[in-house]
Amino acid sequence: MSAVSDRGAESSTPKIRLRGLRKAFGDKVVLDGVDLDVRAGHSMVILGGSGSGKSVTIKCILGLITPDSGLIEIDGRDVGKMSHREREAILDRTGMLFQNGALFDSLPVWENVCFKLLAQKRITRAQARDKAAEALAQVGLAASVGDLSPAELSGGMQKRVALARAVAAQPDIIFFDEPTTGLDPIMGAVIDGLIVDCVQRLGATAFSITHDMASARRIGDDAAMIHKGRIIWAGSAQTLGDTGNEMVDQFARGEREGPIQMELRK
Amino acid sequence: MTQTLNFVALLGRALISACSTLGNVALFALVGVSHLVRPPFQFRQFWRHFIEIAYFSLPVVALTALFTGMVLALQSFTGFSRFNAESAIASVVVLSVTRELGPVLAGLMVAGRIGAAVAAELGTMRVTDQIDALTTLSTDPMKYLVAPRLLAATLAMPLLVLVADILGVLGGYLIGTVKLGFVSETYLSNSWNVLQTMDVVSGLVKAAVFGFIIALMGAWCGYNSKGGAQGVGQATTRAVVASSILILALDYVITEAFFSR
Ligand SMILES: Nc1ncnc2c1ncn2[C@@H]1O[C@H](COP(=O)(O)OP(=O)(O)OP(=O)(O)O)[C@@H](O)[C@H]1O
Ligand SMILES: [Mg+2]
């Protein structure tokens, strides 16, 4: 049921290592010293309130946002010191599901799904349609969806197409920004299964953001919670709701009363 | 005293920000152009934009040029008849159209059509994370989005202006022969004799520069837009205004370079 499993001897260098990551937009501090380790070949789930900087963290790791300070290491190598080419090489092995899908609306669905494979010239355009149909089937979409444009899809369908696109090139590290938000419960479980499959079968490292605790327990080996720009707790995803950390437990149980203040006014 | 100082400070800040923007645009253009000479090349993207600019702008540019040529002939007739200089109409029309009106009017029409479209498309892609998504999909957004548009606009504009030149002269010819009573052969030989290669070439060079500017401003404004639909709207407005002003300013500069001796 759970993704937790023994994957042999743990390699000592984490896949992703964050130390003292800081980012402010203007005078609004979003990340205030984030420290986090993501184990290679494992699935990390990040929790945190809306606007707490989860998406910004992912964008920093991917180099889409330049952090103000702090260390980002991938496979033990400092991303900040890498050449453009080395960064590209890492991005080539990375998949990303954006929170809003970010599908290219000028391209049909099949081209979206196979975009990376086509860009890397790993398949021809003739092969891409079959490949897209295969990837779409994995996320529960019919092959005929491939010929539609993204604007013709429902929100949940767009999310699933974006997911198919993120994993189509069989990446080494995959980031999922709220993979199951906006999906019905059954489809949510299917997607969770797909993510677990990517980690277990392909040996990928997954880094997911989710607000859904059932999903967090299903897909996560490890979990961490971000609050006010810092990681306030990290541990096993299975203990969520019963971690002993009052803030995390309040969050995981979705309780109104607790140490996390409801900041309705800013 | 403090007021004067404040004013000077304000002026200085404005100047510095203008210079830094100019530098950033130049850098942006340089990176865009550099992708044109580094493989892999985005032929598919280039072709899509080339067709969009060259083919689908044709009706707008053609109508503009035709009516401009017609009006020009009519207006010069009214003016020139006061000096008994009606015979100069053919040469006035052909020179104004090829040197000035063809490239400038086509440039302004295309700035409205293509500059706005580029800014809106790239702006939307920016605010919906599509540009970031490109980066994560092994594709450099400058190479995929900006470089093909720069090239397409730079190559398409001279073609459009060539058509505009022909139709502008045709407009003048129609009014000249049908309405003003010129003999067809005289009008044509008058036009042809006065025309020099340089007149047409300078117009086409202008067209290429304007095309580049239109795509550049559209791409720059769109690429750097932020803040949702409103930001995209602002980017679009800014792209059209900036490229229109630049077209008129550069028109002067290029004319000066070609014909001041
Ligand atoms: N490009 C930006 N410019 C300015 N502020 C930004 C930008 N991106 C994010 N922020 C701010 O950073 C904060 C964190 O944003 P982020 O998108 O990471 O939140 P999140 O944790 O992913 O929230 P959610 O769960 O709602 O997606 C927000 O308050 C947001 O206003
Ligand atoms: Mg988010």
Side-chain angles (χ1 to χ4, degrees):
Chain A
M1 292 299 278
S2 98
V4 176
S5 59
D6 196 355
R7 256 160 247 137
E10 213 124 284
S11 66
S12 49
T13 34
K15 193 78 181 172
I16 304 170
R17 200 162 87 102
L18 307 179
R19 286 292 176 272
L21 196 64
R22 279 167 195 281
K23 178 70 194 176
F25 292 100
D27 46 11
K28 180 175 179 191
V29 177
V30 176
L31 302 182
D32 188 18
V34 170
D35 301 328
L36 188 67
D37 286 343
V38 182
R39 296 185 290 165
H42 286 74
S43 172
M44 164 67 83
V45 177
I46 301 289
L47 314 171
S50 190
S52 58
K54 305 180 297 294
S55 300
V56 169
T57 307
I58 288 192
K59 287 182 180 177
C60 284
I61 299 173
L62 285 167
L64 301 172
I65 293 179
T66 316
D68 298 332
S69 66
L71 177 77
I72 301 170
E73 276 183 8
I74 293 180
D75 287 327
R77 304 198 39 232
D78 186 349
V79 174
K81 293 200 179 104
M82 281 184 195
S83 68
H84 188 65
R85 206 168 278 269
E86 286 172 308
R87 274 182 187 231
E88 274 181 352
I90 285 191
L91 285 175
D92 283 348
R93 299 186 282 116
T94 305
M96 164 78 185
L97 167 70
F98 285 84
Q99 189 168 357
N100 60 8
L103 295 174
F104 304 129
D105 33 31
S106 60
L107 300 176
V109 166
W110 69 269
E111 241 184 300
N112 264 285
V113 172
C114 291
F115 194 92
K116 188 160 189 164
L117 291 166
L118 288 167
Q120 295 178 348
K121 303 216 161 54
R122 277 156 67 180
I123 55 172
T124 63
R125 290 179 71 80
Q127 294 166 326
R129 280 171 175 272
D130 291 339
K131 178 74 196 164
E134 212 176 282
L136 287 172
Q138 279 192 320
V139 294
L141 291 170
S144 58
V145 172
D147 292 316
L148 300 177
S149 110
E152 293 171 288
L153 305 179
S154 77
M157 288 163 90
Q158 288 183 7
K159 191 111 209 182
R160 284 186 279 160
V161 171
L163 208 108
R165 181 177 75 176
V167 300
Q170 306 202 331
D172 207 17
I173 313 173
I174 322 177
F175 296 90
F176 299 101
D177 198 343
E178 304 195 9
T180 52
T181 307
L183 300 183
D184 66 72
I186 296 174
M187 200 39 76
V190 170
I191 296 305
D192 286 344
L194 178 72
I195 294 173
V196 171
D197 198 44
C198 282
V199 176
Q200 295 193 330
R201 198 164 49 81
L202 306 176
T205 306
F207 188 109
S208 320
I209 293 171
T210 185
H211 291 299
D212 175 352
M213 288 310 133
S215 165
R217 284 187 210 101
R218 276 200 295 258
I219 63 177
D221 297 322
D222 307 321
M225 177 152 166
I226 187 168
H227 183 64
K228 295 206 167 146
R230 287 167 176 273
I231 301 287
I232 54 163
W233 173 84
S236 162
Q238 299 316 307
T239 62
L240 281 173
D242 188 23
T243 62
N245 181 317
E246 286 177 15
M247 279 189 176
V248 181
D249 288 346
Q250 183 201 346
F251 191 86
R253 296 199 204 109
E255 291 165 350
R256 196 170 160 190
E257 302 299 327
I260 300 180
Q261 304 287 323
M262 296 260 287
E263 293 179 11
L264 293 177
R265 282 182 296 126
K266 262 268 154 78
Chain B
M1 190 59 201
T2 40
Q3 261 175 352
T4 329
L5 277 180
N6 279 344
F7 180 71
V8 172
L10 199 73
L11 213 64
R13 264 201 292 280
L15 194 70
I16 289 172
S17 101
C19 286
S20 97
T21 306
L22 196 70
N24 285 334
V25 173
L27 201 66
F28 185 82
L30 216 65
V31 174
V33 171
S34 78
H35 279 292
L36 292 174
V37 294
R38 278 186 288 158
F41 304 110
Q42 299 285 346
F43 289 115
R44 188 177 296 275
Q45 290 299 310
F46 165 76
W47 190 242
R48 184 185 139 214
H49 300 305
F50 185 79
I51 293 297
E52 175 64 37
I53 302 170
Y55 184 71
F56 289 105
S57 304
L58 214 49
V60 187
V61 171
L63 282 175
T64 314
L66 189 70
F67 282 113
T68 306
M70 289 163 65
V71 167
L72 202 59
L74 209 55
Q75 287 284 21
S76 358
F77 182 77
T78 339
F80 287 4
S81 58
R82 293 180 194 164
F83 313 105
N84 297 321
E86 295 95 330
S87 58
I89 290 175
S91 29
V92 165
V93 169
V94 74
L95 290 186
S96 339
V97 166
T98 52
R99 283 179 171 206
E100 282 301 325
L101 296 174
V104 170
L105 291 179
L108 293 178
M109 297 315 278
V110 173
R113 228 185 81 82
I114 301 300
V118 170
E121 191 177 347
L122 264 57
T124 307
M125 290 187 77
R126 167 62 73 198
V127 301
T128 56
D129 286 336
Q130 292 180 51
I131 294 187
D132 284 346
L134 275 175
T135 310
T136 68
L137 293 168
S138 300
T139 306
D140 189 323
M142 289 297 288
K143 180 179 279 299
Y144 184 79
L145 297 175
V146 178
R149 285 177 165 87
L150 289 178
L151 186 67
T154 310
L155 295 183
M157 269 297 283
L159 289 182
L160 280 172
V161 166
L162 208 58
V163 175
D165 286 352
I166 294 167
L167 286 175
V169 172
L170 182 73
Y173 168 82
L174 284 178
I175 293 298
T177 51
V178 174
K179 194 170 157 65
L180 306 176
F182 281 91
V183 180
S184 164
E185 287 80 38
T186 333
Y187 188 96
L188 284 182
S189 67
N190 275 354
S191 304
W192 189 249
N193 291 339
V194 75
L195 192 67
Q196 292 179 349
T197 319
M198 218 28 152
D199 300 323
V200 180
V201 169
S202 75
L204 297 185
V205 169
K206 282 179 182 179
V209 173
F210 297 167
F212 183 81
I213 290 293
I214 290 165
L216 178 64
M217 293 324 291
W220 161 260
C221 293
Y223 204 84
N224 292 294
S225 66
K226 39 177 88 94
Q230 197 186 5
V232 175
Q234 282 171 354
T236 311
T237 311
R238 224 176 291 144
V240 175
V241 172
S243 47
S244 304
I245 292 175
L246 279 172
I247 283 174
L248 295 172
L250 285 174
D251 181 46
Y252 176 80
V253 175
I254 301 173
T255 308
E256 183 82 34
F258 265 97
F259 298 112
S260 77
R261 229 151 270 165

